[in-house]
Amino acid sequence: MTMTIQTKPKLAVWKFASCDGCQLTLLDCEDELLDIVGAIDIAYFPEATRREIGGPYDLSLVEGSVTTAHDARRIKEIRAQSGTLVSIGACATAGGIQALKNFADVDEYIAIVYAHPEYIDTLANSTAIADHVEVDLELRGCPISKHQLIEVIDAFLHGRRPNTPNHSVCVECKMRGVRCIMVAGGTPCMGPVTHAGCGAICPAYNRGCFGCFGPSADPNIDSLRDIWQGLGMDDPDLVHALRTFNTYAPEFKEASEKYDG
Amino acid sequence: MTAESSTREINVDYLARVEGEGAMYLKLDGDEIIDLQFAIFEPPRFYEAFLRGRKPSEAPDITSRICGICPIAYQMSSINAMEFAADVEVHPQIRALRRMLYAGEWIESHTLHVYMLHAPDFLGYESAIELAADLPEVVTHALRLKKLGNTVMTLLGGREIHPINMRVGGFYRTPTQSELDTLVEELEWALGMSEETVRLVSGFEFPDFEMPYEFVALHHPDEYAITDGRIISSEGLDIDVSEWTEHFEEIHVEHSNALHCRLRERGTYHVGPMARFTLNHDQLTPRARAIADEVGLAKGERNPFKSIIVRSVEIVLACEEILRLIDEYERPPEPWITVESTDSVGHGASEAPRGILYHRYEIDPGGLIADAKIVPPTSQNQSSIEADLREFVGPRTQMEDEKLKWQLEQAIRNYDPCISCATHFLDLTVERVN
């Protein structure tokens, strides 16, 4: 019995600038949580436990974006003590919604929110984990999908590649049997350029996709722009749609700069 | 701690079992507290700045990203503000659906805190994971209860974290009666299990400790306020949400990336389940009232360690309310109405699981957000948390360091602080002189 405990791989969950939603996803795996902790030793996960076991860690899940000089150093220390490092969620994979400040003057932003700017320590840009260290896998989403998180942990435990397809939300609509709300319903939708993973929730709720999972592989944003214009959506609308949770994902960033009149 | 030094020092670098990053610093000279600070080092994310220039319809999706634990609270307060600015009122059944969705968030968030973040302190476990090894049935039931909260949020909101279905003016899609009816059987189980939760946690050992809080909560004439209401307090405050700025102020202190919120007239106040329970006691649902009475939880309870009992009573209430609203449901004629305004100001507040969440927006003549102000519950409770810590340490300075450290952490967790929300929070340091 003791042998089994000693050989369980060690999991660490790290937080950078974020809303905590992606790490909460692990605690939201109500049906699987006890099996997960049976198979993997939760060695560091402060949101869930006071217990802290030192590194190295076999699997590190990293949530949040890098926004301070201290955090830029901390992610390097975490990389050094992690076997496999997976960045989870839009903050960790693209800088998150807080990367909207990358388009602005950060001092002006500080002055808007805080009375004493001199108390605030922040970098000019909010950046993805992969901008600082080598990342073994990026799990997209704002928030990540519970099923994909379980898939990643299961794949890690079995030494196989996780199945997290990079096609667009359109494919998920077809799989779910949802009628196209843009072509058939006239509702502007980011689905054609957005990375799969959510299971096409918004179209199933009669809402256009708004891009939580960031750009899909080779997104054709120019073509999306043509369709949107036909629906009365001008460039400022498209720029707003591109500048949300994945605003600094390269494909969304470039297109939003291109069409920002 | 060394023999020569008169300083006694205890360190906790990163407070566990709370949402976000925060710290506490305590310096003691013998029995005297030299310094006590409760700090939020969660990095700032500047929501209020980048909301400027966005459309009012985007505020619910953007602000929900402030917190993955209580996204519905952010969506609801911003929606209230935008509907206030446009002077529109939604259909009563839209309001009922919002109350059901919000009650689902209360069940999920409260169950997470009661069983996974707070109960381990009372039972002497590092986490619910270790607890599961000794008391598997308790943890299994907790997970099932938590899952029900998430099921309600998924049905009505599309997903558990950052739901997508609620919008300014209503919902994208309203559920059918038969979809809601699928929740009933599990809700009835959960109602019984949440009563068992109240019995379980009321049997914990509570430190002898009370604080003279001024409680502040929303109050609604017809129901235990969740989605909206007037702002009232135990000291006689009774104002419309639009009068917020006249009565509350935010102060930026050096040790924290969160702004402390204070009542202009009286300073520190207390929001959250204990405030709601006392101020809205007359509106408890029948089984919530009966179980509170059974375990001796009375109106006016001011021992913050007993907040775990109050949260459990609110889970009972949330289950009862969802069941009632499903029973009374009639699918509204339209899922949403158009809400537009220009050159206006909107105020909105709702009862997040941790307490009042206030939003204020200025809408410019072009219909875009010109200014945004967001006051989360943990910012409001930050002064109250520090006051509790000072008062709690007083008679306990001789307590052994590790035990004192754990009890101070527990005193902070009484508030279920959400640090991600407040940053604009925990590393615990106790330094002793002598």
Side-chain angles (χ1 to χ4, degrees), chain A residues 44-235:
Chain A
Y44 184 81
F45 185 11
E47 182 164 305
T49 181
R50 293 180 90 239
R51 180 173 174 255
E52 285 181 27
I53 309 292
Y57 305 100
D58 299 290
L59 175 60
S60 276
L61 301 175
V62 181
E63 172 194 274
S65 70
V66 176
T67 62
T68 65
H70 172 259
D71 277 355
R73 291 190 296 273
R74 187 162 64 100
I75 188 59
K76 292 193 162 55
E77 291 162 14
I78 290 168
R79 173 70 269 187
Q81 50 180 328
S82 302
T84 299
L85 189 151
V86 180
S87 54
I88 60 169
C91 297
T93 62
I97 191 155
Q98 56 272 20
L100 284 169
K101 76 171 183 177
N102 303 1
F103 297 97
D105 175 358
V106 72
D107 291 333
E108 194 183 304
Y109 266 31
I110 295 173
I112 290 170
V113 180
Y114 296 102
H116 294 284
E118 67 276 18
Y119 298 165
I120 298 299
D121 165 37
T122 187
L123 295 169
N125 282 1
S126 169
T127 45
I129 299 302
D131 290 345
H132 299 265
V133 296
E134 189 184 338
V135 166
D136 298 295
L137 180 77
E138 292 191 315
L139 199 54
R140 302 284 202 89
C142 183
I144 56 170
S145 140
K146 183 157 68 173
H147 305 293
Q148 288 201 337
L149 179 62
I150 292 167
E151 166 66 13
V152 164
I153 294 173
D154 187 71
F156 169 80
L157 289 169
H158 293 93
R160 62 174 174 82
R161 271 190 75 79
N163 178 21
T164 54
N166 61 3
H167 52 236
S168 74
V169 170
C170 289
V171 178
E172 295 193 308
C173 262
K174 304 289 173 288
M175 287 163 67
R176 192 165 172 159
V178 174
R179 188 181 72 131
C180 181
I181 64 160
M182 187 149 72
V183 172
T187 302
C189 181
M190 295 274 285
V193 299
T194 299
H195 196 286
C198 70
I201 299 169
C202 287
Y205 276 74
N206 201 27
R207 173 180 191 176
C209 166
F210 58 107
C212 301
F213 278 63
S216 57
D218 304 319
N220 189 341
I221 299 174
D222 294 338
S223 167
L224 183 79
R225 176 175 178 251
D226 292 343
I227 302 170
W228 275 40
Q229 283 185 334
L231 297 169
M233 300 295 279
D234 298 330
D235 281 347

Side-chain angles (χ1 to χ4, degrees), chain A residues 13-34 37 41-42 44-52 63 65 67-68 70-71 74 91 97-101 106 108-123 141-144 146 176 198 201-208 210 212-213 233 236-245 247, chain B residues 12 14-21 41-55 57-58 61-62 64-69 108 112 116-117 121 125-130 132 136 139-140 142-144 146-148 150 154-166 172-173 252-259 335-336 368 371-372 402 405-406 409 413 418 420 422-424:
Chain A
V13 181
W14 307 95
K15 177 187 158 63
F16 288 78
S18 67
C19 79
D20 282 51
C22 289
Q23 53 177 312
L24 178 68
T25 304
L26 185 55
L27 297 177
D28 272 356
C29 299
E30 290 98 356
D31 291 336
E32 300 84 5
L33 189 61
L34 294 179
V37 301
D41 188 21
I42 298 194
Y44 184 81
F45 185 11
E47 182 164 305
T49 181
R50 293 180 90 239
R51 180 173 174 255
E52 285 181 27
E63 172 194 274
S65 70
T67 62
T68 65
H70 172 259
D71 277 355
R74 187 162 64 100
C91 297
I97 191 155
Q98 56 272 20
L100 284 169
K101 76 171 183 177
V106 72
E108 194 183 304
Y109 266 31
I110 295 173
I112 290 170
V113 180
Y114 296 102
H116 294 284
E118 67 276 18
Y119 298 165
I120 298 299
D121 165 37
T122 187
L123 295 169
C142 183
I144 56 170
K146 183 157 68 173
R176 192 165 172 159
C198 70
I201 299 169
C202 287
Y205 276 74
N206 201 27
R207 173 180 191 176
F210 58 107
C212 301
F213 278 63
M233 300 295 279
D237 298 312
L238 181 64
V239 170
H240 267 171
L242 292 165
R243 288 192 180 165
T244 61
F245 325 110
T247 185
Chain B
V12 177
Y14 191 126
L15 193 84
R17 283 192 265 117
V18 299
E19 294 95 8
E21 297 174 292
F41 63 87
E42 173 94 19
R45 288 181 291 155
F46 305 105
Y47 276 86
E48 286 144 312
F50 59 67
L51 278 158
R52 291 185 176 188
R54 305 295 298 219
K55 296 178 212 170
S57 59
E58 294 182 290
D61 293 319
I62 291 177
S64 79
R65 267 62 183 186
I66 292 173
C67 180
I69 327 291
E108 195 283 328
L112 173 74
M116 304 184 78
L117 308 185
D121 284 333
Y125 290 88
E126 302 272 10
S127 77
I129 298 155
E130 281 86 20
V139 175
T140 307
L143 288 168
R144 183 172 164 190
K146 183 174 171 304
K147 185 181 175 184
L148 169 70
N150 276 333
T154 302
L155 175 66
L156 290 165
R159 64 183 168 201
E160 315 82 329
I161 300 170
H162 304 322
I164 56 88
N165 192 26
M166 192 158 68
Y172 287 92
R173 180 190 179 279
H252 187 196
V253 294
E254 183 166 7
H255 60 259
S256 185
N257 287 343
L259 303 168
W336 52 273
L368 298 178
D371 190 53
E402 270 308 303
K405 187 168 93 173
W406 194 331
E409 286 182 42
R413 285 193 283 268
C418 186
S420 304
T423 299
H424 11 221

Side-chain angles (χ1 to χ4, degrees), chain B residues 211-283:
Chain B
M211 289 292 283
Y213 300 123
E214 175 167 356
F215 286 140
V216 178
L218 294 184
H219 177 78
H220 189 277
D222 305 330
E223 62 197 15
Y224 195 89
I226 300 178
T227 56
D228 58 291
R230 286 177 68 81
I231 299 167
I232 64 165
S233 91
S234 51
E235 298 296 320
L237 184 77
D238 183 356
I239 59 167
D240 186 80
V241 173
S242 60
E243 298 173 89
W244 175 278
T245 323
E246 291 154 43
H247 296 273
F248 296 89
E249 61 184 345
E250 284 184 299
I251 294 168
H252 187 196
V253 294
E254 183 166 7
H255 60 259
S256 185
N257 287 343
L259 303 168
H260 287 218
C261 191
R262 301 164 60 82
L263 267 165
R264 289 185 191 274
E265 288 165 3
R266 294 178 296 276
T268 303
Y269 63 99
H270 180 114
V271 299
M274 304 226 336
R276 293 190 291 252
F277 179 80
T278 284
L279 294 173
N280 296 322
H281 192 269
D282 291 348
Q283 294 160 316

